Amino acid sequence: MNPVRQSFNRAASSYDAVGDLQHQVATSLTAFIKTKLSANFDGHLLDAGCGTGYCLGQLVPSYPAAKFIAVDFAERMLQQLPTDLRALGINANLENLPVCTGKIDTYLSSLAWQWCDATRAAKEAARVLKPQGELFVATLVTGTFQELAHGLQACGLNPDQHLLRCTSRAQIQSALEAADIEVLTLSVTRITTWHTDFSALRRSIRGVGANHLPQQTTPALNRQTRMQLIEAYEGLRTARGLPLSYEVLTIHARKR
């Protein structure tokens, strides 16, 4: 099984408990979607990378006539969907959706595209969307985990071997345009989380399944290097704790 999928499967039962960042981003994205969809929206809405169903939980009550599809590549995430959630759950990859071409009116994805190839994800979104169908995506881009990157560099380590390698804002925009999806609005927001110590910081990453890299096997840190990393990171401590930053790209787009 894909190691990223395994990681999310393991995190599924505790995902909501440690998912403050995910909930913050999802709440903002779904609130934005509600400003764009009419109250009588009755089309098909796809949540690509639905996790435990947090986004759909914000949207389903507002659109009683809509049809909802929840897709996630971690089957245990789908098992955490609320039993009363009015959505069809599908275990699948965002780059290969088992959805008919031109079926979807609204495509939603919150913090899932960073695990995908942006070009393939954009092409697949374009395939399933109807002409003039709308796309709402929030994903991590370059600059995420910058404090960890600096700490690793201070220890003589290559951050690319230890951290998720996020796609740039420009690359994602280009991927959408190449897929014949017109970008209407695009913004990047930095969200910083705060942690009591380095162990708590690492748990926050592991707890949401983000400790495995899709590109390669991560070299393990020996005890001496880990202590050096912790010491370097402690230099960033403030009264709020140790910081960990995420660069969140939010896109609203429309298929041409």
Side-chain angles (χ1 to χ4, degrees), residues 193-214:
T193 59
W194 298 91
H195 308 272
T196 56
D197 54 36
F198 193 75
S199 293
L201 184 148
R202 289 190 66 196
R203 284 196 301 271
S204 75
I205 297 174
R206 289 199 304 266
V208 295
N211 54 308
H212 277 286
L213 304 186

Side-chain angles (χ1 to χ4, degrees), residues 161-183:
Q161 292 184 311
H162 296 270
L163 301 177
L164 178 68
R165 191 181 304 167
C166 295
T167 306
S168 72
R169 162 181 173 164
Q171 288 172 313
I172 293 176
Q173 185 171 4
S174 295
L176 289 168
E177 295 288 353
D180 208 25
I181 296 177
E182 177 188 7
V183 175

Side-chain angles (χ1 to χ4, degrees), residues 73-176:
F73 78 157
E75 59 273 14
R76 291 186 184 174
M77 286 291 183
L78 294 172
Q79 292 169 8
Q80 299 296 317
L81 292 175
T83 55
D84 60 348
L85 186 67
R86 187 170 47 83
L88 172 65
I90 301 175
N91 181 210
N93 193 307
L94 274 60
E95 298 173 10
N96 187 23
L97 295 167
V99 177
C100 295
T101 298
K103 177 78 171 180
I104 302 301
D105 298 276
T106 302
Y107 177 107
L108 152 70
S109 185
S110 182
L111 295 186
W113 271 38
Q114 65 266 15
W115 302 107
C116 302
D117 178 280
T119 297
R120 291 197 289 265
K123 286 182 178 179
E124 190 66 348
R127 183 187 67 79
V128 301
L129 276 169
K130 294 179 179 178
Q132 301 303 304
E134 294 190 84
L135 175 143
F136 300 87
V137 169
T139 187
L140 302 180
V141 292
T142 49
T144 292
F145 298 155
Q146 64 172 0
E147 300 91 351
L148 268 176
H150 293 156
L152 289 164
Q153 288 174 333
C155 297
L157 299 173
N158 182 358
D160 286 343
Q161 292 184 311
H162 296 270
L163 301 177
L164 178 68
R165 191 181 304 167
C166 295
T167 306
S168 72
R169 162 181 173 164
Q171 288 172 313
I172 293 176
Q173 185 171 4
S174 295
L176 289 168

